[in-house]
DNA sequence: GTGGTCTAGACCACT
DNA sequence: GTGGTCTAGACCACG
């Protein structure tokens, strides 16, 4: 895994993002049990409280739920996961398009060049 | 302007990037004279030496050239600028596509969703 | 049943309250024989002594009476039960109204909103 | 003030509730500055982190917002406060009505007795 | 001085 | 052993 953080944003936030990606990409599957807080914290070399905060953030977004004494689980509601996937994709596309605009690419040009490039890539 | 830096990469490097964008986007035009180092350093609130290093970097890439006694100028060779534009765009597209792959989007899906989204954007 | 206790008030007191409710609501009927202490204690998972104390409290309030050899019975005096019902209702209403006052509801507002809400409820 | 907690629910939760009441009742007015976390924590005799958690909970519900270096403020949106007031009132009424049902009071009876009692109260 | 974040270490209920 | 809560104490950015 790639537990590396920058100093610009809170660690708990970056942790939440990374785990979100794992859920969305399917590395963590719907309904699956998540490793215990303390174990995750250990792997990421952060304090358990920090990891706890990250996971609670994801619970608030309904991507996780916890059963008191048995552990945490990925949501079984695939819609929630798919919506999150769409939202994040939209954000990435918007950011990408804005950076292309700064380079002077129009909407049409952007589409053309990305199509061309992706076609070329293996 | 947006002279804001992160702590991850050298400031001179980030400065060079920002100026590069200005050249590529046409904000600084081919052949145009560039403001004196000290003035630029002042605007960006950085040490003149740092700005100097940034401009030297751009000279190394032939985007700028300096005339001994009269100052620095943007290259008059539009091909260089266009190539640079293409290079940076390619980089951005590659980064973008990699982040979409992490979300589990295939090449085709990525193209579909970006087309759809850009079409929706006014 | 809902034999759950908080740690703020003596358990025998909470037991007495719960049984009181059962009498008032008619779940235990006037004149009816009450189950043996040990059985009740068992159901509620409390020590028989605690249950004993609860029942004695109810006898003190004349809701129960015991016949030496045959066991405990609910009072046959319906007035006692009805008065108790009124008393408890008054207490609940007072508590409720006080909490509404804390929210800034006047007497009139409280009446209006409760009428409206109860009307809406199926 | 009345900073007293029971052991049944998390302290941060009870803190949030108490402050919510103060906002709803108008003791804290819309747009008003809130005392610093550390001061509030001091008054309530809890750890600043606990008070922080309570306040963040209220921020999540948009009852508070914080300006980085200047402090926390009550929301200026009176609608949010009024909606919260209605929600809590509804909850209280539902709880109250359920406890009356347990006593065997019908909807109509409940309304009659509360009207009568409130009329009697000074 | 303000809110925000993080760590370390502890205790609790539940099973 | 699990998640949840709480405390104590520290450091940071911002202005």
């Amino acid at each position: 895994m790639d537990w590396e953080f920058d100093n610009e944003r809170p660690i708990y936030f970056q942790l939440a993002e990374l785990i979100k990606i794992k859920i969305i990409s399917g590395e963590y599957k719907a309904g699956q049990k998540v490793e215990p807080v303390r174990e995750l914290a250990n792997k990421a070399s952060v304090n358990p409280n920090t990891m706890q905060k990250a996971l609670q953030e994801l619970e608030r977004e309904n991507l996780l739920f916890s059963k008191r004494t048995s552990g945490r689980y990925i949501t079984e509601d695939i819609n929630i996961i798919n919506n999150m996937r769409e939202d994040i994709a939209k954000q990435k596309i918007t950011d990408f398009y804005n950076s292309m605009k700064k380079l002077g690419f129009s909407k049409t040009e952007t589409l053309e060049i990305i199509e061309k490039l992706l076609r070329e890539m293996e």
Side-chain angles (χ1 to χ4, degrees), chain A:
Chain A
M1 307 227 173
D2 48 348
W3 299 115
E4 296 192 357
F5 312 110
D6 61 65
N7 300 318
E8 308 308 301
R9 297 164 305 152
I11 291 181
Y12 81 90
F13 191 84
Q14 299 180 57
L15 283 170
E17 268 185 349
L18 288 172
I19 299 171
K20 213 181 279 187
I21 300 285
K22 288 180 195 297
I23 297 174
I24 287 169
S25 69
E27 183 176 333
Y28 287 167
K29 301 206 189 317
Q32 171 185 334
K33 193 173 187 311
V34 177
E35 295 143 288
V37 192
R38 290 157 173 81
E39 197 173 316
L40 282 173
N42 214 355
K43 282 191 183 169
S45 307
V46 299
N47 185 284
N49 286 331
T50 306
M51 184 56 80
Q52 176 87 343
K53 200 169 176 183
L55 296 175
Q56 280 173 344
E57 180 61 33
L58 297 180
E59 278 183 38
R60 234 175 284 121
E61 304 183 37
N62 292 317
L63 284 171
L64 296 183
F65 64 96
S66 53
K67 291 188 190 166
R68 280 293 172 114
T69 63
S70 112
R72 268 200 183 77
Y73 299 82
I74 310 292
T75 180
E76 282 151 348
D77 185 343
I78 297 186
N79 288 329
I80 292 178
I81 297 180
N82 283 338
N83 288 340
M84 189 62 69
R85 186 170 176 259
E86 295 279 317
D87 286 349
I88 296 188
K90 273 184 195 169
Q91 191 53 53
K92 291 221 177 290
I93 290 171
T94 307
D95 290 349
F96 164 66
Y97 175 49
N98 284 335
S99 69
M100 291 299 279
K101 264 200 296 197
K102 273 196 196 158
L103 291 177
F105 285 86
S106 72
K107 213 179 291 188
T108 317
E109 276 179 299
T110 301
L111 280 173
E112 278 169 8
I113 189 170
I114 189 172
E115 257 184 81
K116 175 166 160 289
L117 213 67
L118 289 195
R119 234 184 282 285
E120 284 171 8
M121 286 171 63
E122 111 292 13

